[in-house]
Amino acid sequence: MSATAIRVRPRRNRGAGLGLAAWLLGILFFLPIAWMALTSFHSEEDAATNPPSFAAALTLDGYREFFGAGGGASPWPALINSTVASVVSTLCVLLLAFPAAYALSIRPVKKWTDVLFFFLSTKMLPVVAGLLPIYLFAKNTDMLDNIWLLVILYTSMNLPIAVWMMQSFLAEVPVAVIEAAQIDGAKLPTVLARVVAPIALPGIAATALICFIFSWNELLFARVLTGVVAETAPVFLTGFITSQGLFLAKVCAASLVISLPVLAAGFAAQDKLVQGLSLGAVK
Amino acid sequence: MTATTTAPIAVPSVRAAKRPPGRLRAWATRAPLLPALIFMIVVTQLPFVATLVISFFDWNSLYPDARHFAGFANYADVLTDPDLRRSVWTTVVLTVAVVLASLVLGLVLALLLNRTFRGRGIVRTLLIAPFLVVPVAAALLWKHVLYNPEYGLLNGLLQYVGGPQPDWISNTPLLAVEASLVWQWTPFMMLILLAGLQSRDPQQIEAARVDGASDWQIFRHLTLPHLRRYLELGALLGSIYIVQNFDAVFTLTSGGLGTANLPYTVYQSFYQAHENGLASAAGVLVVIGSIIIATFALRVVSSLFREEVSRA
């Protein structure tokens, strides 16, 4: 006991040092985002100075410009498209994944691990591997520039992750509770809706948020398959790729506004984020 | 390999009383699974089969009449064309560099964050943020706000100390793309490794400490072996996503200056050059690369998964 007591003091000092190091690294990683936020509130003249102006006057001009006050394209159609594609595809994913996860965890079908790994393997098939046939199909069926095509593709993109995540969440529902409900005469849909869903709700919510994030972020499908009408927010952002410093505050405002839903969803799902991103393999 | 897993069949049911006969029951248990399964096969497997077929044709969509079967010619082109071969190499370099760098940084951050200190929650939140910025927005941020030689933050800070004013993207294009990706992916690695650290048995470490083990010995002989699977998992999942990276390459350099990776090349060869056959062959090669990674990935994930199943 006395030996450990002697060691406590240096340990605590070093602990403080390591805490400080963590803080410094955290700030360093956040610095680009903080700088982007600050720049978005500067006038374009103040934004494009070297050395940077930390104390320049704040203004909302960047945001006004982004929302189309300066006669540029309005971001609203793109934001609405992204919202529709992300929300609807997330709902479709939940609708398909929930029964599948039930069949894989609570009353598992034979060879359930094989089925689970099939879902995972589709996630490892690179997007580019199927992009051309999908493009040709869309072109020949007049589905190009159609937001519903993106809804279908985003559903397929997120379904494997959702099945894996939900499988692990549903496995945590005690079987005794389900059986008790069944003895009381409840049919399967009732059991799912009234017993399983409420218990697994936090997990289902986290799954939904992660699917939303991935859909909202997606660029390649949207870039290739949409154009004018069905353009999504990331495609809208690509309009700034070549802007040579004329609209720095506007670029920052645009990037922040479009990232905001993802930042909010990500912080909300923080605890379950790891499990989702690692396809349920890590808790 | 996975079929041998001893499945923890959740429970031989209580519904025994009025159970439908065998075959019907089998379909009843399968039914909830089928919509998802069929949907995935139609939307992901069929297009890939089509890509495979197209990859054997010489087919430029501007000259649809000249389409003909070409055997492995497209594959030969992909592997011999210096530009395409370069993009294969770029993909490898980009993926390996980004995964390794973000893994090491992520490990350092996870170790720091695994201790208790004031404001740990805030630091964790700050660190996760880069991963949550929309990838195109992140790439724009690096391209215009940080890297720009005239008014970017990096050169602005260098100006203060009288340093040089390099044009980052022109001078070191691949490194510029890698740095932005490392910044985005380090939080992901940190989250996985942190989960690994927190699943450690604290009593084991306590026991080692009582036995007089130094911090380094504990890290080397307890923490690192325990983290091995999490490191593998992070590396493999990271590889799967970064091999497919399109957003950063597209936004930062538009594939110029030797930064075109395979996904970008595939995109360019069918979207801009209209070379459907060539693009498909390149796409199939990306898949082969991914399958090699995925084989390892599945093994790692399934071993983690099996551990969990046996624990349950």
Side-chain angles (χ1 to χ4, degrees):
Chain A
M1 264 301 152
S2 62
T4 45
I6 292 163
R7 285 176 63 187
V8 161
R9 184 169 282 272
R11 195 168 282 281
R12 187 171 295 161
N13 279 343
R14 204 195 37 187
L18 289 174
L20 196 68
W23 263 101
L24 283 176
L25 282 169
I27 291 169
L28 190 68
F29 264 79
F30 192 73
L31 187 68
I33 299 173
W35 182 246
M36 173 166 75
L38 186 63
T39 307
S40 76
F41 289 109
H42 281 167
S43 69
E44 296 295 356
E45 295 79 46
D46 290 335
T49 57
N50 185 13
S53 51
F54 292 98
L58 301 181
T59 161
L60 285 172
D61 285 354
Y63 290 87
R64 278 194 207 106
E65 282 290 320
F66 168 63
F67 284 110
S74 163
W76 284 113
L79 287 169
I80 292 167
N81 281 331
S82 271
T83 310
V84 171
S86 310
V87 172
V88 178
S89 73
T90 300
L91 290 176
C92 294
V93 166
L94 294 184
L95 227 55
L96 289 168
F98 186 61
Y102 171 85
L104 292 172
S105 65
I106 291 177
R107 209 165 294 286
V109 295
K110 275 184 191 161
K111 300 202 172 177
W112 61 287
T113 47
D114 289 352
V115 180
L116 212 46
F117 280 102
F118 166 74
F119 277 109
L120 187 55
S121 70
T122 64
K123 192 65 210 159
M124 293 172 183
L125 197 69
V127 170
V128 286
L131 194 59
L132 176 66
I134 291 170
Y135 172 78
L136 294 175
F137 169 81
K139 202 171 163 191
N140 291 331
T141 53
D142 269 340
M143 291 268 283
L144 277 184
D145 211 5
N146 182 330
I147 197 72
W148 301 108
L149 181 65
L150 283 189
V151 169
I152 294 171
L153 292 172
Y154 290 174
T155 304
S156 79
M157 177 176 83
N158 288 325
L159 192 54
I161 303 174
V163 169
W164 267 79
M165 274 185 89
M166 279 210 214
Q167 187 279 136
S168 70
F169 289 126
L170 291 194
E172 287 165 13
V173 177
V175 182
V177 181
I178 298 166
E179 292 185 342
Q182 280 170 340
I183 290 170
D184 290 346
K187 290 265 190 306
L188 180 61
T190 323
V191 173
L192 284 180
R194 292 284 182 80
V195 182
V196 179
I199 298 176
L201 203 60
I204 295 172
T207 311
L209 284 176
I210 283 168
C211 294
F212 173 83
I213 292 174
F214 279 127
S215 308
W216 186 274
N217 284 352
E218 205 282 331
L219 175 67
L220 187 52
F221 279 137
R223 164 87 196 166
V224 169
L225 300 171
T226 71
V228 189
V229 187
E231 181 190 61
T232 61
V235 179
F236 182 86
L237 274 182
T238 60
F240 292 109
I241 287 179
T242 51
S243 68
Q244 286 300 331
L246 295 168
F247 315 109
L248 206 57
K250 188 179 171 186
V251 171
C252 289
S255 301
L256 264 186
V257 170
I258 288 172
S259 297
L260 220 50
V262 177
L263 282 163
F267 289 142
Q270 234 181 86
D271 293 332
K272 303 271 181 194
L273 202 61
V274 200
Q275 196 172 348
L277 295 173
S278 57
L279 304 168
V282 166
K283 286 225 167 112
Chain B
M1 59 174 178
T2 54
T4 53
T5 317
T6 40
I9 303 303
V11 142
S13 162
V14 174
R15 288 197 301 184
K18 40 179 183 172
R19 217 183 247 179
R23 185 169 296 185
L24 199 66
R25 200 180 66 236
W27 278 107
T29 30
R30 266 176 229 155
L33 191 62
L34 291 180
L37 209 53
I38 293 167
F39 181 83
M40 282 314 286
I41 290 170
V42 171
V43 181
T44 66
Q45 310 296 297
L46 287 185
F48 176 62
V49 172
T51 301
L52 205 58
V53 173
I54 297 171
S55 73
F56 291 107
F57 282 87
D58 186 357
W59 178 11
N60 185 313
S61 60
L62 296 179
Y63 309 98
D65 297 335
R67 181 170 63 181
H68 61 91
F69 184 77
F72 284 94
N74 288 322
Y75 291 92
D77 281 356
V78 172
L79 294 173
T80 51
D81 179 324
D83 282 348
L84 287 166
R85 219 163 45 187
R86 192 164 176 197
S87 79
V88 174
W89 180 238
T90 304
T91 310
V92 174
V93 172
L94 186 74
T95 310
V96 172
V98 172
V99 168
L100 284 183
S102 56
L103 208 53
V104 171
L105 265 172
L107 177 62
V108 171
L109 289 170
L111 287 168
L112 284 174
L113 247 69
N114 194 39
R115 321 167 56 92
T116 43
F117 60 90
R118 193 170 296 207
R120 185 167 72 159
I122 302 170
V123 173
R124 197 178 112 126
T125 305
L126 291 179
L127 280 170
I128 295 172
F131 193 70
L132 296 174
V133 173
V134 171
V136 187
L140 281 174
L141 165 69
W142 281 80
K143 183 184 170 88
H144 290 305
V145 185
L146 300 182
Y147 284 144
N148 187 288
E150 277 143 45
Y151 45 78
L153 182 63
L154 287 179
N155 284 7
L157 294 175
L158 279 175
Q159 184 92 319
Y160 275 123
V161 295
Q165 299 283 296
D167 184 347
W168 301 90
I169 293 181
S170 310
N171 295 354
T172 47
L174 195 56
L175 208 62
V177 173
E178 285 164 357
S180 77
L181 284 172
V182 168
W183 177 74
Q184 275 228 295
W185 282 91
T186 298
F188 171 79
M189 301 301 185
M190 181 204 72
L191 284 173
I192 288 188
L193 294 174
L194 194 58
L197 284 174
Q198 285 170 354
S199 72
R200 235 171 10 161
D201 180 7
Q203 283 181 344
Q204 209 181 16
I205 299 158
E206 205 55 47
R209 193 151 279 156
V210 169
D211 288 345
S214 70
D215 279 354
W216 170 250
Q217 283 170 322
I218 291 174
F219 176 75
R220 175 73 190 74
H221 297 291
L222 283 178
T223 309
L224 217 51
H226 173 81
L227 277 188
R228 206 188 111 186
R229 326 192 120 177
Y230 295 89
L231 285 164
E232 286 173 346
L233 183 75
L236 294 160
L237 288 174
S239 316
I240 287 165
Y241 284 106
I242 292 160
V243 160
Q244 300 189 38
N245 181 274
F246 174 76
D247 306 28
V249 173
F250 178 76
T251 307
L252 278 166
T253 59
S254 303
L257 308 163
T259 60
N261 60 351
L262 273 170
Y264 185 84
T265 306
V266 175
Y267 161 83
Q268 208 181 20
S269 40
F270 93 82
Y271 204 66
Q272 283 162 13
H274 306 280
E275 287 286 356
N276 289 350
L278 214 54
S280 298
V284 172
L285 287 178
V286 182
V287 173
I288 292 172
S290 298
I291 287 173
I292 296 171
I293 298 173
T295 316
F296 290 106
L298 280 176
R299 196 162 297 162
V300 172
V301 176
S302 73
S303 71
L304 273 171
F305 185 68
R306 200 169 308 153
E307 206 171 64
E308 196 165 279
V309 161
S310 59
R311 219 188 297 145

